[in-house]
Amino acid sequence: MSRVALVTGGTRGIGQAISVTLKAAGYKVAANYAGNEAAAAAFTRETGIRSYKWDVGDHEACARGIAAVEADLGPVDILVNNAGITRDAMLHKMTPQQWREVMSVDLDSMFNMCQPVVNGMRERGFGRIINISSINGQKGQMGQTNYSAAKAGVIGFTRALAQEVAKKGVTVNAIAPGYIDTEMVSAVPPKVLESIIATIPVGRLGTADEIAHCVVFLADDKAGFITGATLTANGAQYITG
């Protein structure tokens, strides 16, 4: 029987590539989304992957959404916490709402999504939790104190949970993408984008497919000795020890 994978923010951008690549690898995939119903409907028509709407910043909504996925497809074996937003501003101009929105979606979602599935994974003796962090959670980024703090928190959460569930056959890892060629990055003014690419030693943006293949690698049954790790995929723009 195919394992079930749930991808948050799974109908667009990097999440869409993750969902499609997991399906191609033989998993039964469910894709969560927050609000763009037209995009989600088009995604489901084109890929055959079921999409489910809920707010990952809402604990009760996550519990209900996960229950719906499991009723349709079976217990979640692979959870990919990909959903994330930005609300960029310099700290002296940042509003409490901008701070809270990013923390809710990018960091609170770690608890909201993992807590309802982790007991089942422990009981079954298998699970893969893969959390999407960011290069800016590793090095920080001006104008992104909220986002950088949340994505750094994702890495800390990953390391702690990995230790809690390691003996139960559950791995917990993070991926920290650099600048990826998504709609959001493509919307950056050309001169700014050129300056960003100039700082990437490989000389280009990453692709969503490249991040998706990192996910498939970590999700594999044979990746059981890799846990608590952060896989950087940034073209050598930021090298960690």
Side-chain angles (χ1 to χ4, degrees):
M1 182 179 294
S2 298
R3 296 197 185 279
V4 175
L6 170 56
V7 183
T8 68
T11 63
R12 300 173 64 194
I14 292 173
Q16 178 178 347
I18 292 169
S19 297
V20 170
T21 304
L22 283 168
K23 181 183 178 183
Y27 297 95
K28 293 190 290 186
V29 181
N32 151 270
Y33 70 101
N36 193 329
E37 295 188 1
F43 164 83
T44 296
R45 283 196 306 271
E46 293 167 6
T47 66
I49 297 171
R50 298 191 191 200
S51 54
Y52 299 79
K53 181 181 179 181
W54 73 81
D55 175 8
V56 295
D58 182 329
H59 184 263
E60 292 184 1
C62 290
R64 290 193 299 269
I66 291 166
V69 169
E70 294 192 329
D72 290 340
L73 301 179
V76 173
D77 301 300
I78 295 98
L79 171 62
V80 184
N81 285 308
N82 166 75
I85 61 171
T86 56
R87 297 289 185 268
D88 294 352
M90 300 294 279
L91 184 63
H92 66 281
K93 295 182 179 179
M94 186 176 292
T95 66
Q97 182 177 357
Q98 288 174 313
W99 177 270
R100 285 194 299 267
E101 287 179 355
V102 170
M103 288 295 161
S104 176
V105 174
D106 295 19
L107 185 56
D108 291 352
S109 61
M110 297 297 109
F111 174 82
N112 295 342
M113 290 298 301
C114 292
Q115 203 258 355
V117 303
V118 74
N119 279 340
M121 290 179 175
R122 286 166 56 93
E123 290 169 2
R124 294 188 300 274
F126 179 89
R128 298 285 184 265
I129 296 173
I130 302 162
N131 301 321
I132 307 301
S133 180
S134 167
I135 185 175
N136 292 340
Q138 296 175 301
K139 71 176 187 61
Q141 176 62 39
M142 183 174 66
Q144 287 193 328
T145 52
N146 49 4
Y147 183 79
S148 295
K151 290 300 188 179
V154 168
I155 293 173
F157 177 94
T158 297
R159 291 173 176 172
L161 183 57
Q163 295 175 65
E164 294 183 11
V165 297
K167 290 185 178 180
K168 298 295 184 179
V170 181
T171 67
V172 189
N173 292 291
I175 298 171
Y179 286 88
I180 305 302
D181 189 9
T182 61
E183 289 181 14
M184 182 175 68
V185 173
S186 297
V188 172
K191 288 187 177 180
V192 176
L193 192 57
E194 288 175 11
S195 68
I196 291 172
I197 293 172
T199 68
I200 304 173
V202 300
R204 64 173 176 84
L205 299 173
T207 70
D209 285 344
E210 287 173 318
I211 304 305
H213 284 289
C214 292
V215 171
V216 171
F217 165 69
L218 292 173
D220 194 272
D221 285 20
K222 296 178 181 178
F225 200 59
I226 303 170
T227 192
T230 300
L231 176 58
T232 60
N234 60 38
Q237 185 180 15
Y238 182 73
I239 299 173
T240 62

